[in-house]
Amino acid sequence: MRIVKGLTALSALFFAGSVFAASPSAQMNALLDGLKKEAGVASFSAEEGKKLYNAKRVHSQKKEERSCTTCHTSNPAAPGKTPVGKVIEPLSQAANKERFTDPKKVEKWFKRNCEWVLERECTPKEKGDFITYMTTVK
Amino acid sequence: MKKIKVWDLPTRLFHWSFAAAFLSAFAASSREWFLDYHVLSGSIVLGLVAFRVVWGFSGNPNARFSSFVRGWSETKGFLSGLLRLSPARYPGHNPAVAWVILAMLLFASVLAATGIIVYSGEEMRGPFVGFFSFETAEKAGLIHSIAAYSFLAIAAVHVAAALLHDIIWKEGLIISMLTGSKAVEGVHDAPVVERPLLKKGAFAVLGAVTISAVLVVLPGHKDASGFTRTLLEDQGGLRALERNALYEEECGSCHNALSPTLLPARSWEKVMAGLGEHFGDDASLPEETSAEILKWLAASSADHAFSEPSKKMISSIGDKTPLRITEVSYWKRKHSDIGNDVFSRKGVSSRTNCAACHPGAPLGSFDDRDISIPRG
């Protein structure tokens, strides 16, 4: 009984998803288009994204050097570790195809991690460059 | 003096199995994860006690209580002879060892009874789950330890006495408990009434108690992670924790998603209210997300769980509001002999990785029997 219910719910969800929600890549394209408009640029630069990823900065309060690579390592295709040692799946889409497919998650982690490294939110340009780098780097 | 048969085979088998079963139960009590072996050996002790009691009324002459249990005056007479280093000789059990036997049977029964109470009320295992409260089980646990050490003390006296008899008076007691024969003088045989039905009954009792004990311990197979989930659900003693995907996603991305069952609700409220400065980092969540997670944390907290670790964490915490599980003294005590080298092993990596050694942790189970420490 439970299985039948579960299957019904699952297929309903699938149906709703396919009709009402855009595909992941379409959703991500919409996010990127919005960022382009906000940043006032025609395209993003993977090269700039790479620079941002590797840029090191000393935190004003913690007095420690922080960068994206602190946790994600200098190789975005490699698994990383959080400050308390929990394993982080690779960040680049080439190594982890689930990355950068859900705009909500992308925004959530930009908010949390830009604050952690830069002590501010990231600009639309920075976000666009970063996504472009992570979705194209091999 | 001539050598005659004094101990029948069942009595001899009982004697050595009883010693072996008690010793293995005692040895298995040293580590939590030997619980299965402890319960198994303890159950065999219970089966043997039941057998010995029935055998004491139906066995061969020297095995019967009526043949060796004597009143105070005869016991006193024997003891004063012992003190003068010339004890009276008995073909079977002497009056002093008779009381030792009765005391051992009594303490072993107390051990079995209190053991069953602890197993049901604290470990939430076995056929009597639900019969005894956690508080009753804690008291029973205390009596269980006192009885165990008392038993051990009596056993030590018994062994010392047997050695004395053999070394000083060369009675050949110990070897007689193996072969059954002993050199005795002036044998006085009392007439023996055969009780074949009771005799069979003794073996039936032994078989039934031992087999059911084994059946209680054996069922339940571990899943791939080493967690005996079937037991947890089938025996109805513990309900598996309803996992929460939001908690595991939001909190478990940065650190191990710790078990809510180990801290009281007020601790989780304090943690969730201070996410902006969460152990030195900003871990703030949208209002509705943190509210939903807190709702689940509070409902699953140690205040509402009735597993042994939840109860013991609560009483160890008292009226404090700790923010870390690892700072609670009960947690520290339970992990005091686990060195840093274990926590830093690859398969563990951190003190907060509960599931590394407690595979049932995500479901709120820290069962003793499931504990398995990664070697590398």
Side-chain angles (χ1 to χ4, degrees):
Chain A
M1 212 35 221
R2 202 187 271 171
I3 293 172
V4 176
K5 261 191 199 162
L7 280 177
T8 320
L10 208 69
S11 51
L13 210 74
F14 184 75
F15 182 72
S18 55
V19 172
F20 299 113
S23 72
S25 63
Q27 281 188 38
M28 281 305 291
N29 283 339
L31 174 74
L32 280 171
D33 287 344
L35 289 172
K36 268 179 210 161
K37 222 175 272 172
E38 280 181 70
V41 295
S43 65
F44 289 120
S45 150
E47 197 53 39
E48 288 293 310
K50 184 176 179 176
K51 264 189 213 160
L52 175 66
Y53 181 70
N54 289 295
K56 295 185 175 20
R57 184 181 175 280
V58 176
H59 193 278
S60 68
Q61 306 290 310
K62 307 281 175 188
K63 307 290 178 210
E64 61 181 16
E65 198 182 74
R66 289 182 175 185
S67 64
C68 307
T69 59
T70 310
C71 299
H72 294 288
T73 80
S74 54
N75 174 11
K81 257 187 180 181
T82 69
V84 294
K86 175 113 184 167
V87 173
I88 309 170
E89 297 300 317
L91 196 50
S92 75
Q93 209 170 52
N96 182 358
K97 59 183 188 329
E98 276 178 32
R99 290 293 191 197
F100 302 97
T101 54
D102 179 354
K104 255 194 177 161
K105 268 194 188 172
V106 172
E107 287 288 14
K108 181 181 96 178
W109 288 109
F110 269 136
K111 183 171 179 300
R112 191 174 286 171
N113 293 343
C114 291
E115 198 63 49
W116 193 81
V117 179
L118 305 168
E119 299 176 72
R120 62 169 171 81
E121 286 199 26
C122 286
T123 64
K125 167 96 170 72
E126 284 169 331
K127 290 181 190 174
D129 290 343
F130 192 89
I131 297 173
T132 308
Y133 172 54
M134 284 302 164
T135 49
T136 54
V137 65
K138 292 295 166 225
Chain B
M1 282 215 293
K2 63 175 183 157
K3 250 186 161 180
I4 60 152
K5 181 109 170 192
V6 283
W7 317 118
D8 55 21
L9 185 65
T11 304
R12 283 178 277 150
L13 281 179
F14 162 81
H15 177 270
W16 297 111
S17 327
F18 192 58
F22 177 83
L23 284 178
S24 46
F26 190 77
S29 68
S30 61
R31 290 281 179 271
E32 330 280 332
W33 48 92
F34 295 152
L35 182 67
D36 278 2
Y37 302 103
H38 179 72
V39 172
L40 188 61
S41 327
S43 307
I44 293 172
V45 167
L46 176 62
L48 288 168
V49 168
F51 164 78
R52 189 63 187 86
V53 169
V54 184
W55 196 244
F57 293 102
S58 59
N60 296 312
N62 286 330
R64 294 199 184 179
F65 296 128
S66 58
S67 77
F68 61 82
V69 178
R70 296 276 172 269
W72 175 234
S73 59
E74 192 170 342
T75 312
K76 206 172 99 182
F78 176 80
L79 285 176
S80 60
L82 193 66
L83 285 179
R84 278 181 272 108
L85 293 182
S86 61
R89 286 211 170 192
Y90 285 81
H93 301 301
N94 66 51
V97 83
W99 290 104
V100 164
I101 291 167
L102 292 183
M104 279 184 164
L105 292 176
L106 176 72
F107 278 107
S109 311
V110 170
L111 278 168
T114 50
I116 288 168
I117 296 174
V118 174
Y119 196 54
S120 350
E122 218 170 67
E123 303 296 334
M124 300 289 179
R125 294 283 186 228
F128 302 106
V129 167
F131 284 80
F132 307 100
S133 73
F134 185 83
E135 289 68 27
T136 309
E138 269 194 314
K139 285 178 200 128
L142 184 66
I143 300 172
H144 193 75
S145 338
I146 296 172
Y149 285 105
S150 310
F151 186 102
L152 210 58
I154 298 168
V157 171
H158 171 59
V159 171
L163 287 173
L164 268 183
H165 278 271
D166 270 9
I167 294 168
I168 302 187
W169 302 295
K170 312 227 181 305
E171 277 197 42
L173 258 185
I174 296 171
I175 194 85
S176 79
M177 204 32 98
L178 285 166
T179 61
S181 311
K182 204 170 87 167
V184 292
E185 41 192 312
V187 188
H188 35 80
D189 270 341
V192 173
V193 191
E194 274 301 316
R195 290 170 170 169
L197 212 62
L198 259 181
K199 215 169 199 168
K200 279 187 194 132
F203 294 105
V205 166
L206 173 68
V209 177
T210 313
I211 289 169
S212 50
V214 172
L215 286 180
V216 166
V217 177
L218 283 187
H221 44 268
K222 300 186 179 217
D223 70 9
S225 70
F227 172 48
T228 30
R229 185 176 177 123
T230 40
L231 268 181
L232 182 104
E233 288 180 343
D234 294 352
Q235 299 197 359
L238 279 179
R239 90 197 124 96
L241 184 68
E242 206 64 62
R243 288 174 80 156
N244 184 291
L246 195 60
Y247 172 70
E248 285 177 21
E249 163 76 21
E250 294 297 336
C251 307
S253 292
C254 297
H255 56 73
N256 290 301
L258 295 155
S259 179
T261 64
L262 298 179
L263 287 177
R266 62 177 186 279
S267 287
W268 295 117
E269 278 157 18
K270 198 169 165 191
V271 168
M272 297 306 281
L275 284 183
E277 187 55 43
H278 188 60
F279 303 108
D281 266 317
D282 182 1
S284 40
L285 290 171
E287 190 59 44
E288 66 278 9
T289 312
S290 82
E292 195 181 328
I293 291 175
L294 176 58
K295 203 174 132 201
W296 176 78
L297 286 171
S300 321
S301 68
D303 302 319
H304 302 291
F306 56 103
S307 70
E308 181 187 3
S310 303
K311 296 266 193 184
K312 291 196 167 165
M313 287 294 268
I314 286 285
S315 67
S316 168
I317 287 167
D319 54 7
K320 287 182 288 219
T321 307
L323 296 180
R324 291 177 193 270
I325 290 166
T326 51
E327 75 187 26
V328 177
S329 52
Y330 173 69
W331 188 94
K332 286 192 198 158
R333 196 163 66 244
K334 290 308 273 186
H335 298 85
S336 59
D337 54 357
I338 310 236
N340 282 329
D341 60 308
V342 176
F343 286 117
S344 57
R345 280 179 195 165
K346 223 171 155 229
V348 184
S349 89
S350 139
R351 283 183 147 67
T352 65
N353 188 7
C354 308
C357 308
H358 304 278
L363 295 165
S365 162
F366 296 85
D367 227 320
D368 289 348
R369 65 190 296 151
D370 291 338
I371 298 173
S372 148
I373 298 175
R375 287 174 191 280

